């Protein structure tokens, strides 16, 4: 089987780490490199986390390319109240060793531009953080994102409320100008918004009954990384669970048959006081003056149980989960 070359652009982050585990545990994918971006945590913290996760997975040879350390225009925002100060909840990742690939000192934007230009139509980009690196790549080489076979993005909320403001999802809120630029890039875009990612979650019972008993370094990492998120849910009176936002974007590359996609006309708000980062979706019936925004394939429904089984079997390298 020929493997699909992919670049993962990420701001690690607990669910970003889970997305890395899913991508690297999936034999359909050849992860060419990990690009990091400021988002859940500052760039240097996220880049160190990416190294630690690769080390944990025994894949330290995969290169990491550090990218943008701030959004295009707005001030940086982080999500440390969700992911913890280190970005990894209570998990202690292995210290990266000196031999670990550091991306040969190449900036993530240069890596994206060079790889997509050299291999037009071949590479899938999976972006699960703010879209700053992708937007800068497009700025550097206009049209470069159209050279990707597909650009899969976790971000935005269509009919679902936001998760950082009443209307905005974190990745689009953290860099709305970049999100807008990528949406209008003409790339073969698939977006996994909150509408879809809120259908996939690790419940506390999954963690206690299906993960903790595996008793491996990986399972312990997941238990420790997710502990604070579960506690936070309890504090605010919600069912304790962790959304699999970023893994779902990887799922779109490995198991698209589990997802239902709708073409939606979308744009992103870049200036509103109350609406910064909101996806404006034009779902009007036959508007007389044409639709606002750009048509984009948006994942709207997921076969959630099947996705969860796939996720667990891949991240723990189990042929079949009998738990
Ligand atoms: C997104 O925001 C981040 O906190 C997560 O890693 C995910 O990419 C969900 O809104
Ligand atoms: Ca993320």
């Amino acid at each position: 089987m020929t493997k699909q070359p992919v670049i993962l652009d990420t701001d690690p982050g607990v669910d970003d780490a889970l997305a890395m585990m899913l991508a690297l545990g999936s034999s359909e994918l050849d992860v060419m490199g990990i690009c990091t971006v400021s988002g859940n945590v500052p760039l240097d913290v996220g880049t160190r986390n990416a190294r630690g996760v690769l080390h944990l997975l025994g894949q330290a040879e995969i290169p990491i390319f550090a990218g943008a350390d701030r959004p295009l225009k707005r001030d940086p925002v982080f999500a440390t109240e969700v992911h913890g100060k280190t970005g990894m909840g209570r998990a202690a990742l292995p210290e990266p060793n000196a031999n670990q690939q550091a991306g040969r000192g190449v900036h993530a934007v240069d890596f994206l531009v060079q790889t997509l230009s050299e291999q037009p139509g071949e590479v899938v980009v999976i972006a699960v953080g703010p879209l700053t690196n992708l937007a800068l790549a497009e700025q550097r080489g206009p049209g470069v994102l159209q050279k990707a076979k597909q650009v899969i993005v976790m971000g935005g909320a269509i009919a679902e409320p936001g998760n950082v403001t009443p209307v905005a999802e974190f990745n689009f809120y953290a860099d709305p100008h970049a999100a807008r630029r990528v949406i209008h890039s003409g790339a073969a875009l698939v977006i996994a918004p909150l509408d879809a990612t809120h259908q996939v979650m690790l419940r506390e019972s999954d963690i206690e009954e299906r993960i903790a008993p595996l008793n491996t370094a990986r399972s312990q990492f997941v238990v420790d990384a997710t502990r604070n998120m579960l506690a936070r849910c309890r504090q605010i009176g919600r069912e304790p669970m962790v959304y699999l936002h970023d893994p779902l974007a990887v799922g779109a590359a490995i198991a698209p048959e589990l997802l239902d996609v709708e073409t939606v006309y979308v744009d992103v708000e870049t200036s509103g006081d109350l609406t910064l980062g909101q996806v404006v979706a034009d779902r009007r019936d036959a508007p007389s003056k044409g639709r606002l925004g750009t048509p984009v394939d948006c994942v709207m429904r997921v076969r959630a149980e099947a996705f969860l089984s796939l996720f667990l079997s891949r991240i723990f390298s189990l042929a079949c989960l009998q738990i």
Side-chain angles (χ1 to χ4, degrees):
M1 184 182 66
T2 339
K3 290 181 176 229
Q4 172 59 56
V6 297
I7 298 171
L8 186 63
D9 189 277
T10 173
D11 59 334
V14 173
D15 62 323
D16 300 77
L18 299 177
M20 287 176 70
M21 293 171 84
L22 179 57
L24 291 162
S26 294
S27 58
E28 299 90 341
L29 304 183
D30 167 21
V31 180
M32 305 171 75
I34 308 278
C35 297
T36 55
V37 65
S38 168
N40 285 323
V41 286
L43 179 71
D44 55 335
V45 179
T47 304
R48 195 168 57 233
N49 289 341
R51 290 206 184 97
V53 173
L54 289 184
H55 199 272
L56 173 78
L57 301 177
Q59 307 235 35
E61 71 289 354
I62 293 181
I64 295 172
F65 303 92
D69 64 0
R70 53 173 301 116
L72 292 186
K73 295 190 181 172
R74 65 158 305 162
D75 287 339
V77 279
F78 305 113
T80 39
E81 75 288 356
V82 177
H83 297 266
K85 203 160 169 240
T86 67
M88 292 290 124
R90 283 194 224 165
L93 280 166
E95 275 300 312
N97 67 35
N99 298 329
Q100 191 154 4
Q101 278 272 22
R104 303 177 291 272
V106 174
H107 194 281
V109 173
D110 295 323
F111 174 67
L112 282 162
V113 172
Q114 190 180 339
T115 310
L116 296 176
S117 304
E118 284 173 1
Q119 302 182 48
E122 288 177 17
V123 178
V124 171
V125 178
I126 306 177
V128 296
L131 294 172
T132 323
N133 288 339
L134 273 66
L136 289 172
E138 188 60 26
Q139 196 168 302
R140 179 86 48 87
V144 79
L145 293 180
Q146 289 183 23
K147 296 186 177 155
K149 181 174 175 183
Q150 202 174 39
V151 176
I152 304 174
V153 167
M154 188 286 126
I158 311 270
E160 186 81 354
N163 62 355
V164 61
T165 74
V167 294
E169 177 280 333
F170 177 78
N171 290 337
F172 281 19
Y173 178 76
D175 197 341
H177 301 90
R180 181 172 234 193
R181 184 153 203 147
V182 171
I183 280 177
H184 291 292
S185 67
L189 206 59
V190 176
I191 294 185
L194 292 181
D195 308 66
T197 65
H198 278 171
Q199 296 169 37
V200 287
M201 62 208 75
L202 280 179
R203 295 197 159 83
E204 186 168 42
S205 56
D206 297 315
I207 297 172
E208 282 174 354
E209 292 158 27
R210 301 170 82 172
I211 297 179
L214 297 172
N215 216 8
T216 62
R218 286 184 200 194
S219 65
Q220 194 55 47
F221 168 74
V222 176
V223 170
D224 293 340
T226 54
R227 210 186 290 268
N228 283 355
M229 288 181 164
L230 299 178
R232 196 166 174 266
C233 291
R234 263 187 240 101
Q235 264 169 22
I236 57 176
R238 261 188 22 202
E239 184 197 351
M241 44 98 158
V242 174
Y243 286 121
L244 297 174
H245 299 289
D246 294 349
L248 189 67
V250 176
I254 59 177
E257 70 282 0
L258 299 182
L259 316 176
D260 290 339
V261 167
E262 249 180 60
T263 304
V264 184
Y265 279 73
V266 294
D267 211 327
V268 180
E269 180 57 75
T270 54
S271 58
D273 272 357
L274 298 173
T275 55
L276 189 67
Q278 177 178 16
V279 171
V280 177
D282 192 347
R283 304 176 98 187
R284 292 174 292 173
D285 275 341
S288 56
K289 293 198 175 123
R291 290 188 192 284
L292 174 150
T294 301
V296 174
D297 283 348
C298 296
V299 182
M300 297 304 281
R301 276 167 302 278
V302 188
R303 272 158 301 282
E305 267 315 308
F307 175 75
L308 182 61
S309 298
L310 177 81
F311 170 76
L312 291 173
S313 64
R314 296 289 177 86
I315 71 168
F316 297 120
S317 316
L318 303 173
C320 110
L321 268 189
Q322 294 164 337
I323 302 164

